[in-house]
Amino acid sequence: MQQIRDGLNSYIQNLENLKINLDYDKLMEIGQIIASYVEKKSNFLYLAGIGKNSDLLHQVSKTYNSIGLKTINLDITNCKHGDFGLIHDNSLLICSSKSGNTAELIEFLQLIRRVKKVKIILVHSNGSASAIKYCDLSLYIPCIKEADKFNIIPSCSLANFNILLCLIGFFAIKDNFTLEQLNKNHPL
């Protein structure tokens, strides 16, 4: 029982820390960039991550699609085997990685920089993430502690990413999406 309480306290502490230490200006800038892509209507928003971040971004992609953002969730490992063909130039790519140092992510970013013209945003929890140098913009999302007893398993960091990516999407559509459109995307 105590381990569950400790885990819940980790989530609460992380959210409180996030509220205090988040770069709100950078968050708004990303929301405005996404909004500008939404207004063009011909551009896609691509999401890509490795491991648990890939699963998280799949869920975020579904949320974005339901609110009218055209998204494609990319499998980084499949991109160099043909899925780069999904990516249109002049689109926006959001990558998510707790460390920003994953070898597969770095290789993907190096390749995409070579073969496509896209704007890249990195969402991460590591102030010295290696992937930053391949991105146009990065959003550092602080995570003081994961919920597991080893402080390793992405849990609080993924919750932080999920919350902020959803909020960014909601901000991006604030003036361009109506309840009527939402109802059309969720017919009863």
Side-chain angles (χ1 to χ4, degrees):
M1 185 65 89
Q2 187 59 43
Q3 187 175 358
I4 293 171
R5 282 192 184 100
D6 291 345
L8 286 172
N9 283 331
S10 292
Y11 280 100
I12 292 166
Q13 290 166 0
N14 271 291
L15 286 173
E16 288 172 347
N17 180 62
L18 184 64
K19 192 167 94 173
I20 295 167
N21 294 306
L22 182 65
D23 184 342
Y24 287 95
D25 292 334
K26 184 84 57 112
L27 188 72
M28 298 304 286
E29 180 181 0
I30 292 170
Q32 290 167 344
I33 290 168
I34 293 172
S36 74
Y37 278 81
V38 170
E39 289 170 10
K40 293 177 186 171
K41 301 213 185 288
S42 61
N43 289 339
F44 285 88
L45 173 60
Y46 299 94
L47 304 174
I50 290 289
K52 291 166 190 62
N53 277 283
S54 179
D55 297 333
L56 168 74
L57 289 174
H58 182 76
Q59 184 271 323
V60 170
S61 177
K62 296 296 183 188
T63 299
Y64 281 9
N65 287 334
S66 76
I67 60 173
L69 296 172
K70 292 189 305 187
T71 63
I72 296 176
N73 193 50
L74 298 170
D75 181 332
I76 287 177
T77 57
N78 285 331
C79 279
K80 67 180 179 179
H81 299 288
D83 283 0
F84 272 124
L86 291 168
I87 304 169
H88 299 268
D89 283 340
N90 303 313
S91 290
L92 179 62
L93 168 65
I94 297 177
C95 293
S96 174
S97 171
K98 180 181 177 185
S99 72
N101 293 325
T102 308
E104 299 95 333
L105 176 65
I106 301 294
E107 180 186 19
F108 168 76
L109 291 170
Q110 290 170 336
L111 288 171
I112 199 164
R113 278 287 181 222
R114 204 170 69 221
V115 300
K116 296 290 180 175
K117 293 179 179 138
V118 296
K119 186 172 197 84
I120 302 172
I121 297 171
L122 176 66
V123 176
H124 61 94
S125 287
N126 178 1
S128 59
S130 301
I132 292 172
K133 65 184 167 192
Y134 303 104
C135 301
D136 299 293
L137 193 63
S138 75
L139 177 63
Y140 171 71
I141 299 178
C143 179
I144 53 176
K145 184 181 182 317
E146 298 293 1
D148 68 288
K149 66 180 180 179
F150 305 111
N151 190 28
I152 295 172
I153 300 169
S155 47
C156 295
S157 57
L158 289 177
N160 289 351
F161 288 6
N162 186 33
I163 290 167
L164 289 178
L165 287 169
C166 286
L167 290 174
I168 289 170
F170 300 153
F171 170 78
I173 59 141
K174 68 180 171 45
D175 296 327
N176 299 316
F177 195 69
T178 66
L179 182 57
E180 181 182 0
Q181 289 170 299
L182 181 64
N183 288 332
K184 285 181 182 177
N185 291 351
H186 297 269
L188 296 178

